[in-house]
Amino acid sequence: MEEKILFILKRSFRYGEVQRSDLKEAFPEKPNSDPYLTSVIKAALSRFDDRLQKEGQKVRPIPGTAPPSFINDEDLIDSLERGGSFAETGFRESELPLSFVKTTNSLPNKPGLLTVITRYIAHQETLQIIYTGIKMGAIPQKRHLYPLGLERKSDQWRLVAIDLDEKEQPTKVFLLSRILDAGPSNKRKPRNRVIEAPSKAPRCYQVELNPKLNEHQRQVVKNQFAMQGDTIRLPQRYLFEFKIDHCSEPVPSEAVWPLLTIKKEIT
């Protein structure tokens, strides 16, 4: 019942109203009889009597009331990014069409390789990959890693792992599309070290906005990069790409860049 009450809240405040037929469509599995769904609606109205009201067969927000703090934009955008269902978002696909644009391929070069990699992650075992980087003249090389997880940046999926071949054993990212093969490694797991989850290691950097930005532009750019004062937070392993993408930093001479150039449109 709790999931259905949450749906009533989301649908009411996001779409503006909800009725029993919406619940039937969002939750086709049983129990979904009319008497049961009526009891769910009554429970939602009773619990949130300061926010919801019934008008005929529909439940609507009480004018001037705000949704509970957990029915917020962050929850909505997270649901949309996951391709959330009607039950999760409160919107039918026809009401809120979504488009997911992909310009790159995230799969490794070898069929079935992603399944191999994820097995090593799940069992927390070291692995060896054959990887081709983009340094000048780079050829496929063996890399011994302790995998931490997968991470998505834009439309690229990456393997986050500790590089066991380097003395400092830094955490790095490896594009799945550049992995040619993967298998067992004879290297041991890192010892006496707290392994941080891939998404839990941001660093704080002081930045300076371009002085050519006007006040309106400064406001939206600060929001775009989630700035706090004059600082941003991002994992250190993405600093190189961030500088190239947003700061016009020169690319190191050992890197092959740009990767390609668009010559013309072919119709």
Side-chain angles (χ1 to χ4, degrees):
M1 181 177 286
E2 288 299 318
E3 188 179 13
K4 294 178 176 68
I5 290 176
L6 181 60
F7 171 78
I8 291 172
L9 279 169
K10 289 182 177 181
R11 177 80 174 164
S12 296
F13 280 98
R14 290 174 179 171
Y15 184 74
E17 61 185 41
V18 61
Q19 50 191 332
R20 197 167 53 196
S21 59
D22 296 326
L23 281 163
K24 279 193 172 184
E25 183 177 339
F27 303 95
E29 70 282 357
K30 295 181 178 181
N32 66 350
S33 65
D34 288 352
Y36 173 73
L37 295 180
T38 297
S39 70
V40 173
I41 292 173
K42 287 181 178 179
L45 289 167
S46 175
R47 186 183 306 181
F48 298 98
D49 59 351
D50 59 336
R51 300 177 191 271
L52 299 176
Q53 63 182 9
K54 195 160 185 285
E55 297 181 7
Q57 299 299 314
K58 298 178 179 179
V59 175
R60 291 192 172 107
I62 296 174
T65 59
S69 59
F70 53 87
I71 307 295
N72 54 32
D73 286 353
E74 287 78 10
D75 173 75
L76 178 57
I77 199 68
D78 286 344
S79 299
L80 295 178
E81 287 181 347
R82 293 192 300 271
S85 65
F86 181 28
E88 185 178 358
T89 66
F91 290 107
R92 292 182 176 88
E93 185 178 348
S94 60
E95 295 166 346
L96 186 64
L98 301 179
S99 298
F100 294 91
V101 179
K102 288 189 66 175
T103 59
T104 58
N105 171 43
S106 285
L107 290 175
N109 280 259
K110 186 177 178 181
L113 206 53
L114 179 58
T115 300
V116 173
I117 293 169
T118 53
R119 186 182 304 127
Y120 280 93
I121 297 172
H123 289 278
Q124 300 180 5
E125 297 176 346
T126 59
L127 81 157
Q128 173 186 281
I129 65 172
I130 307 298
Y131 191 79
T132 303
I134 59 167
K135 286 186 177 180
M136 199 72 68
I139 60 174
Q141 289 185 327
K142 294 180 181 179
R143 309 290 288 270
H144 295 270
L145 310 172
Y146 180 70
L148 301 177
L150 297 179
E151 190 168 79
R152 189 180 74 174
K153 181 177 181 292
S154 300
D155 62 352
Q156 277 283 310
W157 282 93
R158 305 164 183 228
L159 169 64
V160 184
I162 293 174
D163 190 339
L164 301 177
D165 293 325
E166 294 195 17
K167 184 178 180 181
E168 298 80 8
Q169 295 191 339
T171 299
K172 295 182 179 181
V173 290
F174 301 86
L175 271 67
L176 294 181
S177 57
R178 296 180 187 164
I179 298 177
L180 302 176
D181 208 348
S185 169
N186 57 6
K187 298 235 175 173
R188 294 181 178 180
K189 300 179 184 179
R191 290 185 175 182
N192 302 320
R193 173 173 173 172
V194 176
I195 306 299
E196 269 187 322
S199 59
K200 302 295 183 183
R203 301 290 182 90
C204 192
Y205 298 93
Q206 185 178 27
V207 298
E208 182 180 11
L209 292 174
N210 191 318
K212 295 180 181 179
L213 294 170
N214 62 38
E215 189 56 38
H216 303 289
Q217 293 169 329
R218 292 170 65 88
Q219 181 180 351
V220 295
V221 170
K222 285 183 176 182
N223 181 61
Q224 177 183 351
F225 295 107
M227 290 179 60
Q228 298 292 324
D230 63 347
T231 62
I232 61 170
R233 294 177 67 83
L234 71 154
Q236 186 180 27
R237 58 185 174 274
Y238 289 136
L239 186 60
F240 167 77
E241 290 174 286
F242 187 88
K243 287 181 175 181
I244 293 174
D245 292 341
H246 304 291
C247 306
S248 295
E249 290 279 334
V251 180
S253 58
E254 67 267 21
V256 179
W257 201 267
L259 298 180
L260 48 81
T261 301
I262 295 179
K263 298 177 64 176
K264 63 180 180 179
E265 180 181 355
I266 301 175
T267 57

